[in-house]
Amino acid sequence: MNRRHFLRYGTLAGASSLLAVGTRDLWFPHHAWGQSRRSPRLIVILLRGAVDGLNVVVPYRESAYYEARPSVAIPQPGQPQGALPLNNQFGLHPALEALMPLWKAGQLAFVHACGSPDATRSHFDAQDYMETGIPGNKRIKDGWLNRLLANLPAGPITQAVNIGAQTPLILSGSQQVTTLPLGKKAVRRQSIDNIPVQEAFDRLYQGDNALAKAYQRGRQARTALLAEFNTEMMQASKGAPSPVNAASDLNRLAKLMTGKTQTQVASISFGNWDTHVNQGSSQGPLANRLRSLGEGIQQLTQALGSTFNDTTIVVMSEFGRTVGENGNQGTDHGHGNVMWILGGQVNGQQVYGNWPGLAETQLYQGRDLAVTTDFRDAIASILTQHMGLNSTQLAQVFPGHSVQQTLPIF
Amino acid sequence: MINRGLWRPLLISLLCVISFLGPLAVPVQAVTDSRAIYVLNRLSFGPRPGDLEHIQAVGVEGYIKEQLSPKSLQPPSNLKRKLQQLKILKLTPIQVIQRFEPQRQQQQRPAAQKAARQKARRPLKQAEQARIIQAIASPRQLEEVMVNFWFNHFNVSAEKGRVKFWIGDYERNAIRPYALGSFRDLLGATAKHPAMLFYLDNWRNTAPNSPGARGRFQGLNENYARELLELHTLGVNGGYTQADIIATAELLTGWSIPAPRQMAQHPTGFYFNAKRHDPRPKTVLGTKITGQGIVAGEQLLDLLASHPATARQISYELAQYFVADQPPEALVKRLTQRYLKTDGDIRAVLDTLFHSPEFWDDKYKGRKYKTPYEYVLSATRAQGRDLDFNTQQMLGMFAQLGMPLYRCRTPDGYPNTQTEWLNPEAVTRRVSLAMTLTRNRGSQNRPTDLPQLVNTLGDQISSPTQTVVDASPERLRAALLLGSPDFMYR
């Protein structure tokens, strides 16, 4: 195990927060929002299907990594199609090249060997736990982003937005959330945009049950969103179609974050990361998906403009994949993974976490990267340092969880 | 129900008889019996014109009996004719691949490539057509409901590779024949279907040290094994371990798809490759499986289908679909017992369910939020246009509401609970679609027959809704009924 070059936040935390004082003075904390008209924003990107974190942030010094993955490993930096060096222990998947400027600017960090304390390898349970923030308890019906919302000053109708067809568990709960479908459908005109139709249906949905409230919320949000996207609708045919699938939806998200709708919290999911077969290495199916995601995120940070200063973007997945490849040049369901954290105020250019190593005795159940950072600890650091939550509020977002480690992410 | 015309004179005479009975008789309520509407909303995709009258004639119990024995109900000839025209559905999985899968030719002209792509879409299109026209027009409504239920339970997705060529056959030959039959048969048919073998990668699952382990077949792939235990049978809390998953994957090594030169002998698309199989005995869930070859896999499926955890998981899912998002525990227990006593006879379990006090408890009536699929189907059925509806438009609506047919990417299938489908965007979108559905109806583009719609919906429209509808412009009334809060639930 090589821990020498690895940032151990346990001992360095104090030093880092001292260093951070300089930037903190420039930073308007959350409670000053009213006066400064700035507010911290949070975007959570969920990669559903369990992305292979070991090929996202590659532990290129580990011989065990190359032994376990004869065909899917990413070559060392300097070799053809090798990893892009992050530090002298880790490298980035070459398909994520678009993110390197952010890394170099100190606006991108990773937390490796991060994940859930619950060992399930069921996608569906693991995603639920990641979204509720209460691993092991299946009866929870609300998500931690929704509980976060309950601890922020009430904002406009579009304070929290999900991009996608349904509200995911992470944003479900007592706080109302707006949904905006993917792609062009989001802004296409509907019958409900006609005044007489609206008036008639408004009368039908006057009640205060869940359905009526959802209708009322949907009507208000639609009015706000259509106002925001009016110009986009008119310009839609002029702009060349984006080569990147993720980019157009992330661009729309940027517009909601920067425009009049004042969206503060958002989530978006991208699927298809379940690589049991023909995963590829520097090139191939996983590389293609990573490339469009990386370019999409890079465009999102650009489109956010100065708002990126107030924004944190978290990219996470339900669990990692096996260290060893399976019989089909793919990987099966594993455990530890890597969390990505981007933002204007992020203390970047760091790979946080306690690296457990990949030698057989260091693996979890002999097959997976061990989890050394509870994903809730990483998020808790963001919520307190970036979103301005106090410990009481944090306890409401992650009930029953006591933070073990604080990461100096900001 | 089929010969709707026949029931009308019968009904009129019935009403005459009732009215002679004096003050006790309540003829209007008799037609719109809330039990009748309820049973139609749960056992079918909602009432069509004439359905209420039919239940009035055969009784609620008679209707349940009919639906549990679908062979007693003859599909109308126009539906049979339309199904006949969907000829790709009669091909074997191998024939579909041979005729419709584009060949890899490098220097094909763009026009030829485009034509090949269009041709490749036809098998899936016919599967979609068949699903929708049967879901709307088949008198065997419970069968249609269960086909959808089992399809989601054993989900495969047209978004993954060759699956799109095989979905039609998968539904027709692996799901539909067993929708009300034996769970073991259903499990076995899905396990051997190329759509499932491909979707969850088992076709490549190979014993690492076997003679057939080479090229792209080099070792275990546990994807199908895991979902087989977690989703198809025991449930995620069914008491299995990672070791059980690996043993399951090993037992199913060699369950594959024929290579091109083997295709002629294996038209169903299932091919057991003994050279890639691990013949050693295995222990799964504490039970030793001694069979070798394909027999070992069959013994595994026997074990899984008859396992109490499976009985409970299936019972829970059925109770959740037919009764409540959080189904009553007593009912789940009773269904589990019935499942175990009848060797997983789906019809028997449903029979118990439909005669349970929980099913008829008022607190569950009209409280299941319709999925997008159920919403669009029920709105179309309520307008009773026989087969004159636009299937392409309906497919678009499923997609707009986030539930594109045959395209759920994850193996858990589409959910059917309110928390998954009720959100602000979805409600306003449904309301807009109600406008579209009542404005443009099929080839003749006739507006909805409002009095007929009111009659069809019976008592499922509440009086506050009725008041608003009556006070609204006439051209909006049909859409208001189908877009009303009452119509969002079944």
Side-chain angles (χ1 to χ4, degrees), chain B residues 212-290:
Chain B
R214 31 164 209 247
R216 54 184 178 176
F217 304 103
Q218 284 190 346
L220 282 191
N221 189 311
E222 55 188 67
N223 198 15
Y224 176 65
R226 180 181 300 279
E227 307 305 1
L228 173 64
L229 301 192
E230 175 181 337
L231 300 175
H232 299 171
T233 60
L234 307 171
V236 69
N237 295 325
Y240 57 87
T241 64
Q242 178 62 29
D244 291 320
I245 288 172
I246 291 173
T248 298
E250 287 169 345
L251 285 163
L252 293 170
T253 45
W255 286 49
S256 193
I257 294 169
R261 63 195 148 70
Q262 299 154 335
M263 282 182 171
Q265 289 89 54
H266 304 278
T268 65
F270 175 71
Y271 172 61
F272 176 71
N273 189 333
K275 283 188 195 143
R276 296 202 272 115
H277 182 66
D278 179 346
R280 296 170 304 165
K282 306 278 178 323
T283 301
V284 174
L285 303 162
T287 301
K288 197 154 188 176
I289 291 183
T290 52

XYZ file of all heavy atoms in Angstrom, chain B residues 212-290:
617
model
N -14.734 -24.750 -24.063
C -15.301 -23.685 -24.908
C -14.886 -22.286 -24.493
O -15.319 -21.313 -25.103
N -14.059 -22.183 -23.446
C -13.688 -20.856 -22.953
C -12.608 -20.244 -23.832
O -11.417 -20.458 -23.623
C -13.204 -20.953 -21.506
N -13.020 -19.530 -24.848
C -12.032 -18.806 -25.672
C -12.744 -17.674 -26.408
O -13.961 -17.579 -26.393
C -11.308 -19.712 -26.652
C -12.094 -20.880 -27.156
C -11.467 -21.483 -28.374
N -12.577 -22.034 -29.112
C -12.773 -23.326 -29.303
N -11.900 -24.194 -28.890
N -13.843 -23.754 -29.946
N -11.918 -16.847 -27.047
C -12.477 -15.696 -27.740
C -13.220 -14.818 -26.775
O -12.707 -14.470 -25.717
N -14.468 -14.503 -27.111
C -15.219 -13.627 -26.209
C -15.968 -14.404 -25.125
O -16.738 -13.830 -24.376
C -16.148 -12.733 -26.999
C -17.069 -13.473 -27.939
C -17.863 -12.450 -28.722
N -18.738 -13.089 -29.675
C -19.590 -12.421 -30.424
N -19.676 -11.126 -30.329
N -20.373 -13.054 -31.267
N -15.761 -15.722 -25.107
C -16.395 -16.537 -24.053
C -15.312 -17.040 -23.113
O -14.787 -18.128 -23.284
C -17.136 -17.731 -24.663
C -18.157 -17.330 -25.682
C -17.890 -17.466 -27.031
C -19.374 -16.796 -25.288
C -18.833 -17.089 -27.982
C -20.314 -16.419 -26.235
C -20.046 -16.560 -27.588
N -14.944 -16.242 -22.132
C -13.789 -16.651 -21.339
C -14.064 -16.908 -19.878
O -13.219 -17.454 -19.201
C -12.674 -15.632 -21.493
C -12.025 -15.824 -22.846
C -10.780 -15.033 -23.010
O -10.503 -14.147 -22.228
N -10.029 -15.364 -24.031
N -15.196 -16.515 -19.395
C -15.402 -16.751 -17.975
C -16.798 -16.408 -17.522
O -17.683 -16.120 -18.339
N -16.970 -16.429 -16.222
C -18.288 -16.190 -15.635
C -18.748 -14.766 -15.897
O -17.950 -13.838 -15.920
C -18.235 -16.387 -14.121
C -18.237 -17.809 -13.564
C -18.452 -17.729 -12.060
C -19.319 -18.660 -14.218
N -20.042 -14.634 -16.064
C -20.672 -13.326 -16.101
C -21.892 -13.451 -15.194
O -22.811 -14.212 -15.482
C -21.089 -12.961 -17.526
C -21.544 -11.522 -17.624
O -22.368 -11.060 -16.833
N -20.999 -10.801 -18.582
N -21.899 -12.757 -14.077
C -22.929 -12.998 -13.068
C -24.135 -12.069 -13.172
O -24.983 -12.036 -12.284
C -22.319 -12.917 -11.653
C -21.586 -11.651 -11.354
C -20.838 -11.709 -10.017
O -19.872 -12.489 -9.871
O -21.246 -10.973 -9.116
N -24.230 -11.335 -14.274
C -25.309 -10.349 -14.396
C -26.698 -10.998 -14.288
O -27.517 -10.621 -13.455
C -25.160 -9.604 -15.727
C -25.930 -8.305 -15.759
O -26.368 -7.803 -14.720
N -26.099 -7.744 -16.949
N -26.963 -11.997 -15.138
C -28.281 -12.634 -15.106
C -28.516 -13.352 -13.779
O -29.597 -13.264 -13.195
C -28.432 -13.623 -16.277
C -29.749 -14.393 -16.236
C -30.968 -13.732 -16.379
C -29.767 -15.766 -16.037
C -32.172 -14.431 -16.329
C -30.966 -16.471 -15.984
C -32.160 -15.799 -16.134
O -33.354 -16.481 -16.083
N -27.505 -14.060 -13.301
C -27.652 -14.825 -12.050
C -28.133 -13.902 -10.926
O -29.039 -14.244 -10.164
C -26.324 -15.476 -11.678
N -27.528 -12.729 -10.834
C -27.901 -11.803 -9.759
C -29.351 -11.334 -9.905
O -30.124 -11.355 -8.954
C -26.969 -10.593 -9.761
C -27.276 -9.573 -8.682
C -26.324 -8.399 -8.764
N -24.943 -8.805 -8.603
C -24.360 -9.032 -7.424
N -25.050 -8.866 -6.310
N -23.110 -9.416 -7.356
N -29.735 -10.919 -11.120
C -31.103 -10.406 -11.297
C -32.126 -11.535 -11.208
O -33.260 -11.320 -10.781
C -31.243 -9.648 -12.620
C -30.225 -8.531 -12.845
C -30.137 -7.468 -11.746
O -30.873 -7.574 -10.735
O -29.321 -6.542 -11.881
N -31.729 -12.748 -11.598
C -32.617 -13.903 -11.453
C -33.004 -14.080 -9.983
O -34.178 -14.291 -9.654
C -31.911 -15.155 -11.987
C -32.606 -16.505 -11.781
C -33.922 -16.567 -12.541
C -31.693 -17.653 -12.231
N -32.035 -13.985 -9.092
C -32.326 -14.148 -7.666
C -32.993 -12.897 -7.095
O -33.976 -12.983 -6.370
C -31.036 -14.442 -6.878
C -30.240 -15.679 -7.281
C -29.171 -15.982 -6.229
C -31.130 -16.899 -7.442
N -32.464 -11.744 -7.451
C -32.946 -10.515 -6.817
C -34.311 -10.067 -7.334
O -35.176 -9.670 -6.554
C -31.938 -9.382 -7.039
C -32.451 -8.037 -6.509
C -31.476 -6.895 -6.729
O -30.270 -7.150 -6.871
O -31.933 -5.734 -6.760
N -34.483 -10.115 -8.636
C -35.706 -9.541 -9.213
C -36.710 -10.592 -9.657
O -37.906 -10.413 -9.487
C -35.348 -8.665 -10.419
C -34.423 -7.484 -10.143
C -34.065 -6.796 -11.455
C -35.081 -6.483 -9.193
N -36.247 -11.676 -10.268
C -37.198 -12.616 -10.872
C -37.781 -13.594 -9.861
O -38.884 -14.082 -10.050
C -36.531 -13.402 -12.003
C -36.044 -12.537 -13.127
N -35.273 -12.998 -14.157
C -36.235 -11.222 -13.384
C -34.997 -12.010 -14.992
N -35.560 -10.923 -14.535
N -37.017 -13.915 -8.803
C -37.515 -14.957 -7.896
C -37.498 -14.530 -6.420
O -38.498 -14.033 -5.923
C -36.736 -16.276 -8.082
O -35.356 -16.058 -7.800
C -36.888 -16.808 -9.495
N -36.373 -14.693 -5.729
C -36.362 -14.585 -4.262
C -36.641 -13.191 -3.724
O -37.155 -13.041 -2.616
C -34.994 -15.042 -3.725
C -34.515 -16.421 -4.183
C -33.072 -16.628 -3.754
C -35.395 -17.509 -3.592
N -36.297 -12.168 -4.484
C -36.374 -10.804 -3.962
C -35.074 -10.448 -3.267
O -34.331 -11.330 -2.818
N -34.817 -9.151 -3.145
C -33.496 -8.720 -2.680
C -33.232 -9.154 -1.236
O -32.089 -9.353 -0.843
C -33.333 -7.195 -2.877
C -34.238 -6.422 -1.944
C -31.881 -6.763 -2.713
N -34.292 -9.375 -0.473
C -34.111 -9.873 0.898
C -34.381 -11.362 1.002
O -34.735 -11.861 2.065
C -35.038 -9.135 1.864
C -34.668 -7.670 1.938
O -33.500 -7.323 1.859
N -35.662 -6.812 2.060
N -34.237 -12.061 -0.099
C -34.607 -13.479 -0.135
C -33.625 -14.409 0.538
O -33.792 -15.625 0.491
N -32.573 -13.870 1.133
C -31.682 -14.700 1.940
C -30.556 -15.356 1.166
O -29.989 -16.339 1.616
N -30.198 -14.822 0.013
C -29.090 -15.404 -0.739
C -27.811 -14.601 -0.486
O -27.859 -13.467 -0.027
C -29.399 -15.428 -2.241
C -29.715 -14.067 -2.809
C -28.692 -13.223 -3.258
C -31.018 -13.602 -2.888
C -28.974 -11.971 -3.758
C -31.309 -12.347 -3.390
C -30.287 -11.530 -3.832
O -30.558 -10.292 -4.316
N -26.690 -15.243 -0.778
C -25.387 -14.607 -0.562
C -24.671 -14.454 -1.900
O -25.128 -14.966 -2.927
C -24.506 -15.486 0.345
O -24.262 -16.708 -0.357
C -25.193 -15.787 1.673
N -23.525 -13.783 -1.838
C -22.695 -13.656 -3.043
C -22.278 -15.049 -3.548
O -22.205 -15.276 -4.749
C -21.476 -12.793 -2.729
C -20.500 -12.621 -3.883
C -21.114 -11.924 -5.087
O -22.025 -11.105 -4.955
N -20.640 -12.280 -6.278
N -22.060 -15.981 -2.623
C -21.682 -17.341 -3.033
C -22.833 -18.001 -3.806
O -22.604 -18.741 -4.773
C -21.315 -18.175 -1.809
N -24.073 -17.735 -3.394
C -25.225 -18.277 -4.134
C -25.287 -17.703 -5.550
O -25.664 -18.396 -6.504
C -26.534 -17.959 -3.397
C -26.670 -18.728 -2.087
O -26.294 -19.915 -2.061
O -27.144 -18.136 -1.097
N -24.935 -16.424 -5.658
C -24.965 -15.794 -6.988
C -23.932 -16.450 -7.898
O -24.212 -16.775 -9.056
C -24.728 -14.277 -6.877
C -25.968 -13.624 -6.270
C -24.416 -13.671 -8.245
C -25.812 -12.180 -5.928
N -22.745 -16.679 -7.354
C -21.701 -17.297 -8.181
C -22.105 -18.724 -8.555
O -21.983 -19.129 -9.718
C -20.343 -17.235 -7.450
C -19.889 -15.771 -7.397
C -19.299 -18.108 -8.154
C -18.664 -15.504 -6.573
N -22.646 -19.496 -7.588
C -23.092 -20.860 -7.904
C -24.192 -20.841 -8.965
O -24.211 -21.678 -9.882
C -23.576 -21.554 -6.630
N -25.105 -19.872 -8.849
C -26.176 -19.742 -9.841
C -25.591 -19.462 -11.224
O -25.982 -20.087 -12.217
C -27.141 -18.609 -9.418
O -27.730 -18.974 -8.177
C -28.229 -18.382 -10.442
N -24.648 -18.538 -11.273
C -24.004 -18.222 -12.560
C -23.314 -19.468 -13.117
O -23.400 -19.757 -14.319
C -23.004 -17.082 -12.383
N -22.659 -20.241 -12.246
C -21.956 -21.445 -12.715
C -22.931 -22.491 -13.259
O -22.681 -23.123 -14.277
C -21.121 -22.039 -11.572
C -19.886 -21.197 -11.255
C -19.179 -21.592 -9.960
O -19.783 -22.334 -9.142
O -18.052 -21.151 -9.759
N -24.075 -22.647 -12.568
C -25.078 -23.625 -13.022
C -25.625 -23.247 -14.399
O -26.051 -24.106 -15.162
C -26.227 -23.704 -12.013
C -25.909 -24.451 -10.719
C -26.936 -24.127 -9.649
C -25.860 -25.956 -10.982
N -25.624 -21.955 -14.685
C -26.213 -21.487 -15.948
C -25.156 -21.233 -17.017
O -25.454 -20.642 -18.061
C -27.035 -20.218 -15.699
C -28.294 -20.417 -14.837
C -28.908 -19.082 -14.450
C -29.317 -21.281 -15.567
N -23.923 -21.685 -16.781
C -22.915 -21.561 -17.846
C -23.355 -22.400 -19.035
O -23.910 -23.491 -18.877
C -21.534 -22.045 -17.368
O -21.681 -23.279 -16.662
C -20.868 -21.029 -16.446
N -23.141 -21.864 -20.223
C -23.513 -22.582 -21.443
C -24.937 -22.325 -21.916
O -25.283 -22.706 -23.028
N -25.767 -21.666 -21.083
C -27.118 -21.292 -21.545
C -26.929 -20.097 -22.474
O -26.686 -18.978 -22.021
C -28.025 -20.923 -20.363
C -28.482 -22.106 -19.562
C -27.719 -23.117 -19.074
C -29.828 -22.393 -19.155
N -28.490 -24.029 -18.387
C -29.792 -23.610 -18.420
C -31.065 -21.761 -19.334
C -30.949 -24.181 -17.868
C -32.205 -22.324 -18.784
C -32.144 -23.530 -18.061
N -27.065 -20.339 -23.757
C -26.575 -19.340 -24.700
C -27.474 -19.221 -25.929
O -28.583 -19.754 -25.966
C -25.133 -19.686 -25.089
O -24.533 -18.619 -25.752
N -26.944 -18.537 -26.906
C -27.633 -18.256 -28.163
C -26.829 -18.947 -29.262
O -25.603 -18.949 -29.192
C -27.667 -16.723 -28.382
C -28.532 -16.067 -27.310
C -28.139 -16.361 -29.764
C -28.423 -14.558 -27.275
N -27.474 -19.554 -30.259
C -26.698 -20.262 -31.289
C -25.796 -19.320 -32.098
O -26.209 -18.210 -32.430
C -27.760 -20.906 -32.173
C -29.009 -20.130 -31.908
C -28.923 -19.669 -30.487
N -24.590 -19.791 -32.377
C -23.723 -19.068 -33.307
C -24.323 -19.228 -34.702
O -25.138 -20.131 -34.926
C -22.319 -19.663 -33.255
N -23.925 -18.378 -35.662
C -24.560 -18.430 -36.995
C -24.673 -19.834 -37.573
O -25.722 -20.201 -38.092
C -23.644 -17.540 -37.826
C -23.126 -16.533 -36.845
C -22.987 -17.256 -35.537
N -23.617 -20.659 -37.443
C -23.701 -21.977 -38.082
C -24.607 -22.945 -37.330
O -24.995 -23.984 -37.839
C -22.306 -22.565 -38.253
C -21.593 -22.818 -36.963
C -20.102 -23.052 -37.135
N -19.374 -22.565 -35.983
C -19.411 -23.121 -34.770
N -20.121 -24.211 -34.548
N -18.735 -22.602 -33.771
N -24.979 -22.615 -36.081
C -25.879 -23.495 -35.318
C -27.342 -23.052 -35.427
O -28.223 -23.732 -34.926
C -25.480 -23.476 -33.832
C -24.072 -23.977 -33.557
C -23.493 -23.378 -32.292
O -23.889 -22.301 -31.852
N -22.533 -24.080 -31.690
N -27.553 -21.903 -36.063
C -28.882 -21.297 -36.004
C -29.981 -22.180 -36.598
O -31.079 -22.241 -36.064
C -28.862 -19.935 -36.692
C -28.244 -18.858 -35.817
S -28.283 -17.255 -36.626
C -27.745 -16.201 -35.271
N -29.662 -22.860 -37.683
C -30.692 -23.650 -38.363
C -31.291 -24.707 -37.429
O -32.489 -24.986 -37.483
C -30.104 -24.298 -39.607
N -30.457 -25.287 -36.567
C -30.963 -26.337 -35.661
C -31.648 -25.781 -34.421
O -32.249 -26.529 -33.661
C -29.813 -27.248 -35.202
C -29.259 -28.155 -36.280
C -28.149 -27.440 -37.027
O -27.205 -26.952 -36.428
N -28.291 -27.349 -38.344
N -31.499 -24.484 -34.169
C -32.031 -23.926 -32.925
C -32.865 -22.677 -33.197
O -32.478 -21.566 -32.822
C -30.884 -23.617 -31.951
C -30.028 -24.805 -31.672
N -30.374 -25.761 -30.751
C -28.860 -25.217 -32.226
C -29.443 -26.710 -30.737
N -28.513 -26.400 -31.620
N -34.009 -22.858 -33.853
C -34.793 -21.701 -34.304
C -35.346 -20.834 -33.167
O -35.607 -19.655 -33.370
C -35.937 -22.321 -35.103
C -36.037 -23.729 -34.604
C -34.639 -24.138 -34.231
N -35.493 -21.408 -31.960
C -36.049 -20.587 -30.869
C -35.029 -19.593 -30.341
O -35.359 -18.707 -29.562
C -36.483 -21.453 -29.673
O -35.318 -22.076 -29.111
C -37.492 -22.515 -30.091
N -33.765 -19.773 -30.733
C -32.746 -18.833 -30.264
C -32.089 -19.266 -28.967
O -31.244 -18.555 -28.436
N -32.497 -20.438 -28.438
C -31.819 -20.967 -27.246
C -30.881 -22.082 -27.676
O -31.247 -22.971 -28.441
C -32.832 -21.503 -26.231
C -32.165 -22.170 -25.035
C -31.488 -21.394 -24.097
C -32.206 -23.551 -24.866
C -30.856 -22.002 -23.003
C -31.587 -24.159 -23.780
C -30.910 -23.373 -22.841
N -29.656 -22.032 -27.160
C -28.700 -23.084 -27.472
C -27.885 -23.378 -26.231
O -27.245 -22.485 -25.672
C -27.788 -22.643 -28.618
C -26.648 -23.604 -28.885
C -26.899 -24.920 -29.269
C -25.333 -23.181 -28.761
C -25.859 -25.802 -29.502
C -24.272 -24.060 -28.995
C -24.552 -25.371 -29.368
O -23.522 -26.246 -29.604
N -27.946 -24.643 -25.781
C -27.121 -25.019 -24.630
C -25.772 -25.500 -25.136
O -25.685 -26.507 -25.850
C -27.799 -26.118 -23.802
C -26.918 -26.576 -22.665
C -26.694 -25.746 -21.565
C -26.267 -27.801 -22.714
C -25.856 -26.146 -20.532
C -25.426 -28.213 -21.679
C -25.224 -27.375 -20.592
N -24.727 -24.781 -24.765
C -23.393 -25.126 -25.221
C -22.662 -25.892 -24.116
O -22.118 -25.299 -23.177
C -22.636 -23.840 -25.581
C -21.327 -24.147 -26.268
O -20.732 -25.212 -26.059
N -20.882 -23.213 -27.105
N -22.664 -27.224 -24.246
C -22.079 -28.082 -23.208
C -20.589 -27.815 -23.039
O -20.032 -28.006 -21.953
C -22.319 -29.549 -23.567
N -19.946 -27.354 -24.099
C -18.496 -27.101 -24.020
C -18.155 -25.927 -23.118
O -17.007 -25.752 -22.734
C -17.957 -26.805 -25.425
C -17.800 -28.046 -26.269
C -17.076 -27.679 -27.560
C -17.221 -28.787 -28.572
N -17.368 -28.244 -29.923
N -19.122 -25.098 -22.840
C -18.838 -23.932 -21.997
C -19.472 -24.075 -20.608
O -19.526 -23.130 -19.836
C -19.332 -22.649 -22.676
C -18.591 -22.355 -23.973
C -18.664 -20.901 -24.348
N -19.835 -20.557 -25.146
C -20.805 -19.758 -24.738
N -20.761 -19.211 -23.538
N -21.821 -19.501 -25.505
N -19.971 -25.284 -20.335
C -20.697 -25.517 -19.087
C -19.766 -26.044 -17.999
O -18.791 -26.748 -18.281
C -21.823 -26.522 -19.346
C -22.659 -26.807 -18.130
N -23.460 -25.850 -17.548
C -22.814 -27.937 -17.401
C -24.073 -26.391 -16.498
N -23.696 -27.647 -16.384
N -20.086 -25.696 -16.763
C -19.357 -26.195 -15.590
C -20.183 -27.336 -14.994
O -21.234 -27.097 -14.402
C -19.208 -25.040 -14.581
C -18.484 -25.470 -13.308
O -18.340 -26.694 -13.086
O -18.085 -24.579 -12.548
N -19.726 -28.588 -15.148
C -20.571 -29.736 -14.761
C -20.490 -30.120 -13.288
O -21.190 -31.030 -12.860
C -20.020 -30.864 -15.632
C -18.568 -30.518 -15.823
C -18.457 -29.021 -15.761
N -19.641 -29.450 -12.513
C -19.490 -29.865 -11.112
C -20.770 -29.599 -10.324
O -21.485 -28.629 -10.602
C -18.350 -29.093 -10.459
C -16.986 -29.382 -11.079
C -15.967 -28.402 -10.545
N -16.375 -27.021 -10.784
C -15.836 -25.973 -10.176
N -14.903 -26.118 -9.268
N -16.260 -24.756 -10.463
N -21.087 -30.446 -9.322
C -22.270 -30.184 -8.491
C -22.103 -28.878 -7.715
O -20.978 -28.491 -7.386
C -22.340 -31.380 -7.549
C -21.137 -32.199 -7.788
C -20.377 -31.667 -8.933
N -23.205 -28.223 -7.441
C -23.153 -26.931 -6.750
C -24.164 -26.917 -5.610
O -25.147 -27.651 -5.639
C -23.542 -25.793 -7.700
C -22.755 -25.731 -8.974
C -21.443 -25.046 -8.747
C -20.609 -25.002 -10.011
N -20.671 -26.163 -10.890
N -23.908 -26.041 -4.657
C -24.886 -25.825 -3.596
C -25.423 -24.404 -3.707
O -24.656 -23.450 -3.749
C -24.226 -26.041 -2.222
O -23.723 -27.376 -2.180
C -25.242 -25.850 -1.102
N -26.753 -24.319 -3.797
C -27.409 -23.012 -3.863
C -28.441 -22.958 -2.756
O -29.259 -23.884 -2.619
C -28.091 -22.796 -5.231
C -28.881 -21.497 -5.233
C -27.063 -22.761 -6.349
N -28.415 -21.913 -1.950
C -29.381 -21.738 -0.864
C -29.416 -22.976 0.032
O -30.470 -23.387 0.503
C -30.782 -21.449 -1.418
C -30.895 -20.242 -2.342
C -32.180 -20.298 -3.155
C -30.826 -18.933 -1.558
N -28.270 -23.582 0.212
C -28.174 -24.750 1.090
C -28.620 -26.047 0.453
O -28.580 -27.097 1.087
N -29.045 -26.006 -0.794
C -29.511 -27.215 -1.466
C -28.491 -27.651 -2.503
O -28.012 -26.836 -3.295
C -30.862 -26.964 -2.162
O -31.795 -26.550 -1.176
C -31.374 -28.210 -2.858
N -28.163 -28.931 -2.497
C -27.202 -29.438 -3.457
C -27.890 -29.733 -4.784
O -28.957 -30.366 -4.814
C -26.562 -30.717 -2.907
C -25.282 -31.063 -3.626
C -24.354 -31.868 -2.750
C -23.030 -31.988 -3.491
N -22.000 -32.653 -2.772
N -27.301 -29.254 -5.847
C -27.855 -29.527 -7.172
C -26.919 -30.483 -7.871
O -25.751 -30.183 -8.109
C -28.062 -28.223 -7.954
C -29.206 -27.459 -7.270
C -28.368 -28.503 -9.418
C -29.616 -26.194 -7.920
N -27.440 -31.668 -8.154
C -26.573 -32.752 -8.618
C -26.620 -32.931 -10.128
O -25.764 -33.607 -10.688
C -26.997 -34.078 -7.963
O -28.398 -34.247 -8.171
C -26.711 -34.059 -6.474
